[in-house]
Amino acid sequence: MDVPFIREIVVIFSLSLIVLLLLHRARIPTILGFFVTGVIAGPSVLGVISAGSIESLAELGVILLLFTIGLEMSPERFGEFRRTALIGGTLQIGLTVSLVAVLTLIIGFPFNKALFLGFLISLSSTAVVLKVLQDFHDTESPHGQASLGILIFQDLAAVPMILTIPLLAGVSADPSSIMGTLLTGGLVLVGTLASSRWLVPRLFDVVAETRNREMFLLTVILVCATVTWITSEAGLSPALGAFLAGLIVANTDYAHRAQGTILPFQEVFLSFFFVSLGMLLDLGFFLSHLPLIVLAVLGVLLIKLALNSFVGFILGYSARIVVLISLVLAQIGEFSFILSESGLKYGLMDTLTFQAFLSVSLITMALTPFLISLSPRISERVVRSRVHPVIKNGRRYEKPRLKLEDHLIIVGMGITGRRLADLCQEHGIPYMGLDVNPEAVRKARDEGLNVYYGDGTHMNVLRHFNVPEAAVMVVAIADYPSTVHAIHEARALNESMKIIARIRGFENTENLYTAGADVVVSEKREATRRISDEIFSCYGEVCELEE
């Protein structure tokens, strides 16, 4: 019996393994490897995958990917980035859509197509950014948190964009058709909210009582498939239905368990999505129009970097964090791919424009790992450059109300920083806390803590918080390069002060001691040491971990 779909999956995974092994030796990110695999397997090179299968795999990849993205958007997570998401996301989308629309109108595009192109370029890739930030251990960093907040808002904003496409295309010419389109979309959204509040939680309650893992997994898949099917039957995008299904499950008490169930398949979903994008790329078109595509990529990056930087300053982040955020969000995202397919269907773009957009999207996505890896160096050069006085002199600190001496400076008001501030309050120890996240500063102040907005990696900022007269400084920020830099600047101001650095993983402690740290505490290293001590004590031995 011939099963072509299985054969094609074997071909894709075999090619992926070979390409990833080759690229791994060159230290090239896996995302780029999946793109390359898709191009090789697609009709442009080997042609081992049929046209129908390419479309099916692309749609399946998008559906699975967007379900996992929706699954991670719990109300608690959105609440953590509420201000950044609402203000930053609204500004970022509004400014990008407006600027792109104006530029394309000048070129000669009609208004509906200009607005549609603005939609496409305004969205960034949650999947790519989240994957790369996880690889670089930057999800808890200030720029990582801010970027994820804006990405969450973008993903939610993509829903009304998808509903607007038929209206932009002029499909709904009469008022009754327009009302019908809006009513259909509204009913789907209302049904999503109702299901997440009443129907699906009760279904999960019944299934959870059985304590059967297989039944729970089937229920998660059933919810995803059902919402996707209903959305498709309503004439909307199946990918939108998968995203809404993820949101439904995310709003139940079983969201974490569902994430744990789906997590082993997440990398497979990602690989399907990126491979499918590579298969859709027409390599002949790409090579023949390479100069124009490169020019378009530079234009997109320039627009997004400039507008993202502006939004970062409006949100009140320091110059260094602003540059990092703008680089993280510089690409075009997966929801843009869905919008472009709908635009192709409704005549808002032709096949050649779709191929051009796909090429630009793939290049910006492929560049993201490199941009994020280089972002610390780029941000440092930009901030220190005299060529950019506006960026250099951007808001970096807030003047403290009290001038303390022999005090404790806490750089970073995450869980560790806030706990230290609480202990200082309880024991009457004079302290000041600094953080570059305005939201974290606001929350800490609401709790009565002596915390200010400030970038502890800059000597002038540290001087304003009287670091030369401080007794102790604790650096508890997630960004390792920033930790090294903050220690170096603080030690230059105060040679006798005790500096304690907290790092999350197994980063090189030598650089921290060289910069001037007296004590370095690694959360993972200390946890490993404690567990190892307990294990070895059972055998009457002493465990010694290498630094």
Side-chain angles (χ1 to χ4, degrees), residues 470-512:
V472 185
M473 177 172 168
V474 175
V475 184
I477 52 182
D479 187 12
Y480 176 76
S482 297
T483 301
V484 176
H485 194 68
I487 293 169
H488 182 270
E489 299 288 87
R491 181 56 74 204
L493 289 173
N494 190 331
E495 294 183 0
S496 60
M497 173 179 64
K498 186 169 187 177
I499 299 179
I500 304 170
R502 187 238 44 198
I503 56 177
R504 293 189 179 277
F506 296 92
E507 294 91 344
N508 185 5
T509 58
E510 209 175 301
N511 293 336
L512 299 168

Side-chain angles (χ1 to χ4, degrees), residues 5 85 169 173 180 195 224 366 407 415 427 436 452 484:
F5 194 76
S195 300
C224 176
H407 56 296
I415 296 174
H427 296 279
V436 293
Y452 300 90
V484 176

Side-chain angles (χ1 to χ4, degrees), residues 306-322:
L307 295 180
N308 291 342
S309 298
F310 177 75
V311 170
F313 275 115
I314 294 297
L315 290 172
Y317 287 103
S318 67
R320 184 179 60 84
I321 301 300
V322 164

Side-chain angles (χ1 to χ4, degrees), residues 279-356:
M279 286 191 293
L280 290 173
L281 182 68
D282 185 339
L283 193 58
F285 175 89
F286 178 83
L287 294 175
S288 61
H289 295 81
L290 187 58
L292 288 176
I293 291 171
V294 171
L295 191 62
V297 168
L298 292 175
V300 168
L301 292 178
L302 183 61
I303 289 171
K304 301 201 79 168
L305 287 173
L307 295 180
N308 291 342
S309 298
F310 177 75
V311 170
F313 275 115
I314 294 297
L315 290 172
Y317 287 103
S318 67
R320 184 179 60 84
I321 301 300
V322 164
V323 175
L324 293 173
I325 292 172
S326 64
L327 289 167
V328 168
L329 299 177
Q331 75 291 130
I332 295 175
E334 56 276 343
F335 264 114
S336 298
F337 169 70
I338 297 166
L339 288 169
S340 67
E341 284 196 317
S342 297
L344 186 63
K345 174 184 175 183
Y346 285 102
L348 286 172
M349 60 166 49
D350 54 31
T351 306
L352 292 179
T353 308
F354 174 77
Q355 278 297 325

